[in-house]
């Protein structure tokens, strides 16, 4: 295993995080105002760019998957993981426990502020709430992950370049020096957005798990329980990270996926089965029918602010996760074809979300429509966690469902943070080879840091929304870095395999006969 560590990158990245957390503590209100102002300007100026980039990305990946280039194999070895473990790890790393929260509650946000010019609180608003939920967690979102993962896959396994980081692939494409100023900035931004995105995930998910668990035990949720939960999650993902992907994360992701399926099947059987099936089917149809309009909806006439507050916000949020999830996708996809990676990422990831959100979202919609739980009203009153607990309490064996809910949330968090620690260690390990992993102690270091930052923020009472907004702001420059990666990747494929007949591509990949043509662009 490689034991080289980029100490300068680690020091600068940690210093930046400390400065931001310090600003949140010393000037909390001013920090939030500045971050929100910058975010508002960026979504106005670059909103259409983000929407077009994501939509064109879906078209590009569809073309690659269905063309001869989809047959390109990523290395000569057999895949390291079974299909189920491979799918499970990608879903577990890419989603996290926030998925469980939003599956229950997101549709309710769209009732009073619906998109596509729909009247608030109308029947149409209810009908389109779950389709929009599916859209924001579906093909377009997973496309953003794949648009980072596939260029890195090609860079590492086909071009045989070294380095598992954004700066490494940008260096291979453009010729800039990876250890130069631009390369350093790219990697520092990457590590910062990892801290930002994952800190808010812990900050939001842990109190929810605390409330649900406290309800089961019949006790009052406390700050100390938040601390204990974060420490438990930290121990789980730190041990998983230390023992490596094969023995650690792959098994936890496998267990998490199976538990999520148990939760869905249990709700489907013991909940309003007929309504869940009918509403999920109807919502899927409406999402597919309105996909293009949803993808490019900017609302320049109505100026409702919905695209900026939701779709553009979501795409930038997914983009903040895309670098570390993309690097992780690359690491676990050796031996696969480009076609199989695209299908797995877009189809498997989206299908998992459609099932999860369809079943759980339909349950909460039915509970609201029948008057059992006023989900929309409770959400408007800021009682989102209480609404989720109330919905779970309407199920038979509610305590069992709540315990299962907590277990899935904790394991989702552990696998997401495990994947993040791996990719951050990979970024700070120069010239990492395709068959190497960062040193276990190095991965453990990032595990500790990922736990300390949210613990510190909760302790000082910092506004978690500010660091979330700050991280999403950095998603805009990441879009342009992704553009460079995608253009370079396409040029590589055309140069390497443009003159190779489709039926000969597997043979060429196996023999490495095209190696001599793979000079830097």
């Amino acid at each position: 295993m490689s034991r080289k560590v980029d100490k300068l990158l680690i020091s600068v990245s940690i210093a930046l995080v400390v400065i931001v957390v310090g600003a949140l503590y010393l000037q909390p209100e001013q920090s939030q105002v500045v971050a929100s102002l910058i975010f508002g300007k960026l979504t106005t100026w670059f909103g259409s760019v983000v929407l077009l980039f994501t939509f064109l990305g879906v078209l590009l990946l569809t073309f690659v998957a269905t063309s001869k280039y989809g047959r390109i194999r990523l290395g000569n070895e057999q895949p390291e993981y079974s299909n189920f473990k491979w799918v499970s790890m990608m879903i577990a790393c890419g989603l996290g426990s926030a998925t469980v929260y939003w599956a229950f509650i997101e549709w309710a946000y769209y009732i009073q502020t619906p998109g596509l010019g729909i009247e608030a609180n109308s029947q149409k608003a209810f009908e389109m709430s779950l389709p929009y939920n599916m859209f924001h967690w579906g093909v377009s979102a997973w496309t953003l992950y794949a648009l980072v993962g596939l260029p890195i896959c090609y860079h590492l396994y086909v071009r045989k370049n070294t380095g598992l980081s954004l700066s490494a692939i940008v260096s291979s494409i453009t010729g800039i020096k990876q250890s130069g100023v631009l390369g350093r900035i790219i990697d520092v931004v990457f590590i910062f957005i990892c801290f930002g995105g994952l800190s808010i995930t812990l900050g939001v998910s842990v109190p929810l798990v605390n409330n649900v668990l406290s309800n089961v035990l019949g006790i009052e949720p406390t700050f100390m329980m938040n601390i204990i939960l974060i420490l438990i999650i930290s121990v789980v993902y730190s041990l998983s990270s230390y023992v490596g992907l094969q023995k650690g994360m792959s098994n936890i992701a496998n267990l998490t996926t199976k538990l999520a399926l148990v939760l869905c099947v249990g709700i489907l059987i013991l909940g309003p089965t007929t309504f869940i099936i009918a509403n999920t089917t109807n919502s899927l149809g409406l999402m597919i029918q309105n996909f293009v309009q949803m993808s490019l909806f900017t609302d320049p006439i109505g100026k409702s602010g919905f695209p900026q507050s939701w779709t553009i916000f979501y795409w930038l949020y997914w983009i903040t996760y895309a670098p570390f999830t993309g690097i992780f996708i690359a690491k676990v996809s050796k031996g696969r074809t480009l076609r199989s990676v695209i299908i797995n990422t877009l189809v498997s990831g989206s299908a998992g979300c459609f099932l999860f959100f369809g079943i759980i979202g339909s349950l909460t919609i039915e509970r609201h429509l029948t008057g059992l739980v006023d989900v929309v009203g409770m959400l408007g009153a800021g009682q989102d966690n209480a609404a989720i607990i109330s919905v779970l309490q309407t199920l038979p064996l509610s305590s069992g469902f709540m315990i299962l809910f907590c277990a899935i949330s904790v394991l989702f968090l552990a696998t997401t943070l495990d994947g993040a620690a791996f990719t951050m260690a990979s970024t700070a390990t120069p010239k990492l080879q395709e068959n190497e992993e960062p040193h276990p102690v190095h991965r453990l270091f990032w595990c500790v840091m990922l736990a300390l930052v949210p613990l510190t923020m909760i302790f000082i009472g910092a506004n978690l929304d500010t660091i979330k907004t700050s991280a999403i702001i950095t998603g805009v420059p990441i879009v342009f870095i992704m553009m460079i990666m995608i253009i370079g990747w396409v040029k590589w494929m055309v140069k390497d395999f443009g003159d190779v007949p489709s039926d000969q591509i597997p043979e060429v990949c196996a023999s490495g006969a095209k190696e001599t043509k793979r000079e830097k662009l």
Side-chain angles (χ1 to χ4, degrees), residues 494-508:
V494 173
K495 178 180 283 291
D496 295 342
F497 295 96
D499 59 350
V500 179
S502 177
D503 59 342
Q504 294 182 22
I505 286 180
E507 181 182 346
V508 171

Side-chain angles (χ1 to χ4, degrees), residues 50 96 102 138 144 225 243-244 251 266 389-390 424-425 438 473 483:
V50 172
W102 289 110
L144 294 169
M225 283 189 66
V243 300
N251 290 326
I389 293 172
S390 296
M424 293 165 83
I473 288 170
M483 288 180 181

Side-chain angles (χ1 to χ4, degrees), residues 194-195 198 202 237 417 420-421 424 446-454:
C194 278
F195 273 113
L198 295 168
L202 272 170
Y237 78 75
L417 293 166
M424 293 165 83
W446 288 111
C447 288
V448 173
M449 293 307 301
L450 284 171
L452 283 178
V453 171

